[in-house]
Amino acid sequence: MGKDTITKIIYIKFGELVLKGKNRHQFSTLLLKNIKKALFDFRKLIFVYKYDAILIKNIPSKSFIEIFNIIKMIPGIRLVIEANLIPRNRIKLCSFLTKNLPKKDFFTFKIKTKRIDKKYPTSSLEFDCGIGNFVLKKFCNAKVDVHQPQILINIEINNECFIVYWNKQNGLGGFPLGINGRVLALISGGIDSPIASHLLMKRGFHVDFLTFISPPHTTKKSLTKTIDLIKKITLSKRIEQPILYICNFTPLQHEIAHISNHSYQITIMRRYFFRIAQYLAKLHNYSAIATGENLGQVASQTIESIITISHVIKDTIVLRPLLTYDKEEIISLAKKIGSFEISILPYPDACSSFVPTNPVTKPKIAIAEKLEKEMIMIKAIYEKTIKNIVKKEI
Ligand code: ATP
Ligand code: MG
């Protein structure tokens, strides 16, 4: 890259940086580390760290869009900007604008100059006017609109160059992955639990996963689907290597199938899901467990049901990021992050293979406890089940 050439760069502005002092430093250091990890495959990139932003230079043009799209999915980034580094020479700047602004269509614009190098001889306002007049002369279809311009041409005057951009896109926002501790998410092959995990990652949690399988009722394909979902939401493991705990639930499920009140099958099954999740959370020091539960979607998700199910794990917090979401909202998020197509593949889930005809909608704790006492073998089966949990690095 010669000193005189114009180069395309990516300019990243941070997320919720109302944070101050030490927190801010921790936030930006972790974010830079995550960005570098996510872009590890692109060895030649150069990262320049600024107070509230990061510049990425030396981007191979064939990988520009791929890199841009990866950055858009990294938690903690507010804006991802396609920018241009132009030698600090007004003629070069004007010729760049001539080449790159729309030629035929009508457009409104505004120039917004920021003079980072305070020694630069022209004030920001004079610079705005000078460049604005140039654009007006050159483009007869252009008009200035200082309030709501279609194209807001940002020009930063730095020590050695101008940085020019008008194509800004929203990043994911939130906090850098890992800043908020570790969570164990219960993940199925459904639409909801991957989105719940995604939202927690966006909030800065490192997420590991627990899935229940019930072979032969569920097949290898169901597990592969869950693994594909995890890969999707963890940016193909670019930033962190998640762990998946795989629990074979079949022996417990067969035992639960014998209870005298079948309408409680799902309730009891889910009480065991939570017991196992709590066991793992304590064993491996997770701060909380998480689910894709959503109030009122299905029989097992009424408030009474949530109370009866979570009663078995009094001292572990359960995070339910989707509790109040509409199904449409969840689906549109799933489409946005690309998990939807995987979730709708028609492979059976541990839950779906044992749904009773009339699941209870308002289960009672006392009844659930009484039914659990009927299962004399359950304790031994439970002990064996947790012993056989497989830990897999995704
Ligand atoms: P999802 O789309 O996430 O499967 P759902 O709308 O189907 O959710 P339920 O089947 O009641 O709702 O499951 C509620 C939550 O319980 C799920 O979001 C997930 O966190 C957990 N869960 C359900 N099935 C499994 C499973 N086989 N393995 C692990 N967790 C599960
Ligand atoms: Mg489900």
Side-chain angles (χ1 to χ4, degrees):
M1 185 178 35
K3 206 165 174 278
D4 287 339
T5 49
I6 294 176
T7 47
K8 250 168 109 170
I9 59 164
I10 294 176
Y11 200 6
I12 295 170
K13 302 261 182 178
F14 297 163
E16 302 198 15
L17 270 188
V18 272
L19 298 163
K20 298 234 161 61
K22 225 170 100 190
N23 281 349
R24 184 193 179 98
H25 180 70
Q26 194 195 359
F27 181 114
S28 47
T29 317
L30 184 58
L31 183 60
L32 181 59
K33 198 169 127 198
N34 289 348
I35 294 171
K36 284 184 174 172
K37 270 198 214 160
L39 299 175
F40 183 76
D41 296 347
F42 307 94
R43 300 295 170 96
K44 296 217 167 101
L45 301 179
I46 297 170
F47 297 86
V48 183
Y49 180 71
K50 300 175 103 201
Y51 179 66
D52 63 348
I54 291 167
L55 278 184
I56 305 183
K57 296 187 195 172
N58 214 19
I59 305 172
S61 54
K62 66 176 188 336
S63 315
F64 193 90
I65 293 173
E66 193 188 347
I67 291 173
F68 197 86
N69 287 335
I70 292 172
I71 294 170
K72 270 173 68 180
M73 293 305 292
I74 298 175
I77 293 171
R78 187 167 55 90
L79 287 174
V80 192
I81 301 163
E82 183 185 326
N84 294 277
L85 222 66
I86 299 173
R88 216 168 77 165
N89 169 325
R90 276 170 87 135
I91 297 171
K92 287 225 155 73
L93 172 62
C94 289
S95 90
F96 171 81
L97 293 174
T98 310
K99 265 193 215 128
N100 289 282
L101 284 169
K103 293 202 178 51
K104 294 202 181 84
D105 305 337
F106 168 80
F107 67 93
T108 61
F109 75 99
K110 175 184 172 178
I111 310 281
K112 192 172 155 198
T113 306
K114 198 167 159 192
R115 208 169 44 139
I116 311 258
D117 175 12
K118 298 288 180 219
K119 294 201 193 97
Y120 192 75
T122 318
S123 78
S124 305
L125 210 64
E126 285 165 339
F127 204 83
D128 286 350
C129 292
I131 302 297
N133 280 329
F134 169 81
V135 174
L136 284 173
K137 253 192 231 144
K138 216 54 199 177
F139 295 85
C140 45
N141 295 322
K143 214 177 135 214
V144 173
D145 179 348
V146 288
H147 301 294
Q148 277 189 316
Q150 287 162 337
I151 304 179
L152 176 62
I153 304 170
N154 291 275
I155 304 170
E156 270 188 28
I157 306 176
N158 284 291
N159 287 344
E160 283 169 0
C161 60
F162 297 129
I163 296 180
V164 182
Y165 59 88
W166 53 83
N167 180 10
K168 287 187 204 173
Q169 295 194 25
N170 286 332
L172 200 57
F175 293 101
L177 210 59
I179 209 160
N180 266 334
R182 299 159 69 242
V183 164
L184 182 66
L186 277 73
I187 191 164
S188 69
I191 296 170
D192 301 345
S193 42
I195 298 303
S197 309
H198 162 78
L199 290 175
L200 289 167
M201 292 194 292
K202 185 177 155 183
R203 233 45 217 162
F205 286 103
H206 167 88
V207 181
D208 285 329
F209 302 89
L210 164 62
T211 194
F212 297 100
I213 53 169
S214 40
H217 315 290
T218 60
T219 61
K220 251 198 166 144
K221 276 190 172 164
S222 311
L223 182 60
T224 310
K225 176 181 172 187
T226 305
I227 292 173
D228 287 347
L229 281 168
I230 294 173
K231 285 188 184 153
K232 190 57 156 187
I233 57 178
T234 55
L235 270 181
S236 304
K237 328 175 285 182
R238 278 180 178 279
I239 304 180
E240 290 181 320
Q241 310 272 282
I243 290 167
L244 171 63
Y245 300 93
I246 304 164
C247 177
N248 182 346
F249 201 75
T250 312
L252 280 170
Q253 207 159 24
H254 284 167
E255 188 65 9
I256 295 167
H258 293 122
I259 54 172
S260 60
N261 182 345
H262 282 188
S263 69
Y264 268 72
Q265 268 186 20
I266 294 274
T267 311
I268 308 241
M269 179 171 143
R270 298 181 59 76
R271 280 163 65 95
Y272 276 94
F273 278 8
F274 273 33
R275 285 184 175 107
I276 293 167
Q278 167 167 268
Y279 159 78
L280 282 176
K282 290 202 162 170
L283 187 66
H284 300 292
N285 284 322
Y286 290 99
S287 327
I289 62 179
T291 72
E293 283 167 306
N294 183 265
L295 256 187
Q297 252 187 29
V298 289
S300 66
Q301 295 182 3
T302 59
I303 189 73
E304 291 82 0
S305 193
I306 288 179
I307 292 167
T308 305
I309 290 164
S310 35
H311 189 253
V312 295
I313 52 161
K314 289 196 199 80
D315 54 352
T316 300
I317 292 278
V318 183
L319 302 175
R320 299 178 173 90
L322 298 181
L323 197 72
T324 61
Y325 276 52
D326 290 343
K327 195 73 193 181
E328 283 74 35
E329 288 176 285
I330 301 171
I331 289 176
S332 87
L333 257 175
K335 285 185 175 159
K336 192 173 148 208
I337 68 164
S339 60
F340 185 73
E341 292 77 47
I342 307 172
S343 289
I344 56 174
L345 294 172
Y347 309 132
D349 185 73
C351 267
S352 55
S353 45
F354 278 81
V355 182
T357 34
N358 277 321
V360 57
T361 50
K362 297 189 175 181
K364 303 268 181 307
I365 295 171
I367 299 180
E369 285 174 347
K370 190 177 137 268
L371 290 168
E372 282 173 3
K373 287 206 182 96
E374 288 177 3
M375 302 184 287
I376 42 172
M377 292 300 291
I378 198 90
K379 196 157 185 291
I381 299 171
Y382 173 79
E383 293 299 334
K384 205 164 164 204
T385 301
I386 55 174
K387 238 189 234 145
N388 289 337
I389 292 173
V390 174
K391 183 174 171 181
K392 183 177 164 66
E393 277 176 23
I394 294 291

